[in-house]
Amino acid sequence: MDRSDSVGIDRSDSVRIDRSDSVGIDRSDSVGEIGERAVIAALTAAATAAGSVDDIVIGSGDDAAVLDIGGSAVISTDTVVEGRHFRFDWSTPQQIGARAVVQSSADVAAMGGRTTGLVVSIACPAATRVGVILDLNDGVVGAAHALGARVLGGDLVAAEQVVVSVTAVGALEGRRPVSLGGARPGDVLAVSGPLGASAAGLAVLSTPGVDDAQWTEVVALHRVPMPDLSQGPVAAAAGAHAMTDISDGLVEELITMSRAAQVAMAVEVAAVPRRPDLARLATELGAEVDEWVLTGGEDHHLLAAFDAASVPDGWTVIGSVREATSTTPEVWVDGRRVGGPDGPDLHGWQSFAEPRG
């Protein structure tokens, strides 16, 4: 008897996806070869094929799940891995814990919800000092309390490296959930805060010889992003048609929203808000500030589509939604199509690409 039999799994009943499927996944390829988004699409297709459940309002494939349990709840989970998403020589355990909470809670905010509770699982080598785990937990608890949430429980297991998984539970409090796929031609695109600071902070940490004492604020924003997640419920109350948090870079999020809604999305780089000191830092490092703003990710501010008259105070309009001219994701930056023959080749974070620390 193998483990699948012991828990009652019949292999013949599993959902199989091959190249004849619309997703186009070959099971013999590696996850790295296929890429994160294609694998997620396959998993979403499998979840959909398995049938619907009455209490699932929005399920697999969006920023978070929404369940109707006598008042809709929002649930999302994120995992960060040592050496891939964080480094102990760059961040303290408290900062790592806080950052994990922010990124999971940002997904709840992207649905229009407010985080109310967290479940946290930590994996670590047996040789890890207890103080490290306690400090990491302090960061989790502190960030949770700052959001008005509580840590509800979790797990601790042995592993070869430190891994932190945070499941955030939130409440919509009577608001309708805001999905990824609701953008409509004629909408405007807006963001809830400045972009590029986390990428700039990462560039400082990654560049030998840079005096990071001059750039403490951007480095701090890489270690622990500080988005105003209360803007998720604000946007939902204002009637946002679609929303997501900017975790993988603005361009990647626009591609995802374009695919979900089958619309074209166009932005102007100069309209995207950013800290004024990023231009000076980019010059010092020989980098492009617009690249940080468009592809950097991890700021976790929110991106949403609104009627032009419904954009909340404090949000910045950066572009518009148009009719699509093709069935593939269609994102335009300064009038040029991303990935097109004469357009910019822009990519954000890919889970199976190089680590970013």
Side-chain angles (χ1 to χ4, degrees):
M1 178 182 294
D2 63 19
R3 185 170 296 274
S4 65
D5 295 327
S6 69
V7 295
I9 297 175
D10 183 347
R11 292 181 186 275
S12 66
D13 290 338
S14 62
V15 178
R16 300 189 181 279
I17 300 172
D18 57 29
R19 289 199 184 278
S20 64
D21 294 325
S22 61
V23 175
I25 296 292
D26 187 328
R27 288 173 174 266
S28 66
D29 289 338
S30 71
V31 171
E33 290 171 327
I34 295 298
E36 172 195 14
R37 295 184 184 279
V39 175
I40 288 175
L43 296 176
T44 301
T48 303
S52 63
V53 179
D54 289 341
D55 61 357
I56 297 179
V57 181
I58 296 179
S60 181
D62 218 303
D63 284 282
V66 178
L67 306 180
D68 185 356
I69 51 176
S72 294
V74 186
I75 302 172
S76 183
T77 191
D78 264 300
T79 299
V80 293
V81 179
E82 179 184 1
R84 180 149 199 87
H85 302 100
F86 66 86
R87 289 171 45 165
F88 281 111
D89 58 333
W90 283 358
S91 301
T92 67
Q94 291 96 330
Q95 291 166 339
I96 292 162
R99 185 183 185 195
V101 168
V102 169
Q103 70 181 60
S104 191
S105 297
D107 285 333
V108 171
M111 306 302 294
R114 178 181 64 85
T115 299
T116 57
L118 301 160
V119 178
V120 183
S121 293
I122 300 173
C124 63
T128 304
R129 290 186 300 108
V130 172
V132 170
I133 303 305
L134 294 177
D135 287 348
L136 196 154
N137 188 63
D138 285 345
V140 167
V141 172
H145 286 195
L147 291 169
R150 294 294 181 267
V151 177
L152 306 175
D155 192 20
L156 179 64
V157 298
E160 294 185 0
Q161 63 202 119
V162 175
V163 179
V164 183
S165 293
V166 175
T167 298
V169 180
L172 288 173
E173 301 168 319
R175 295 177 294 274
R176 67 171 183 83
V178 186
S179 73
L180 278 168
R184 310 165 185 174
D187 282 351
V188 296
L189 297 167
V191 293
S192 64
L195 304 183
S198 180
L202 176 60
V204 171
L205 291 169
S206 304
T207 306
V210 175
D211 181 9
D212 58 3
Q214 294 185 58
W215 305 105
T216 55
E217 290 188 14
V218 294
V219 170
L221 288 170
H222 171 71
R223 288 170 171 151
V224 184
M226 297 294 288
D228 179 2
L229 298 185
S230 70
Q231 291 301 314
V234 167
H241 297 153
M243 186 159 53
T244 191
D245 75 301
I246 303 172
S247 56
D248 295 336
L250 177 60
V251 165
E252 288 295 327
E253 310 306 347
L254 289 167
I255 289 170
T256 300
M257 291 178 73
S258 169
R259 178 186 289 116
Q262 291 295 294
V263 294
M265 297 193 163
V267 297
E268 299 293 328
V269 178
V272 182
R274 78 283 306 271
R275 290 172 56 94
D277 56 352
L278 294 193
R280 182 165 62 89
L281 175 57
T283 299
E284 180 177 325
L285 298 183
E288 293 290 335
V289 65
D290 287 345
E291 185 171 344
W292 289 340
V293 167
L294 291 170
T295 69
E298 289 195 316
D299 293 299
H300 294 293
H301 293 295
L302 303 174
L303 165 70
F306 298 93
D307 284 328
S310 301
V311 180
D313 291 341
W315 287 66
T316 304
V317 174
I318 63 170
S320 60
V321 181
R322 307 172 183 172
E323 294 281 357
T325 60
S326 69
T327 58
T328 58
E330 194 173 334
V331 173
W332 297 77
V333 175
D334 289 346
R336 298 189 299 157
R337 184 170 177 174
V338 173
D342 301 314
D345 184 21
L346 297 171
H347 300 282
W349 167 249
Q350 305 288 327
S351 285
F352 295 97
E354 292 299 314
R356 58 185 171 189

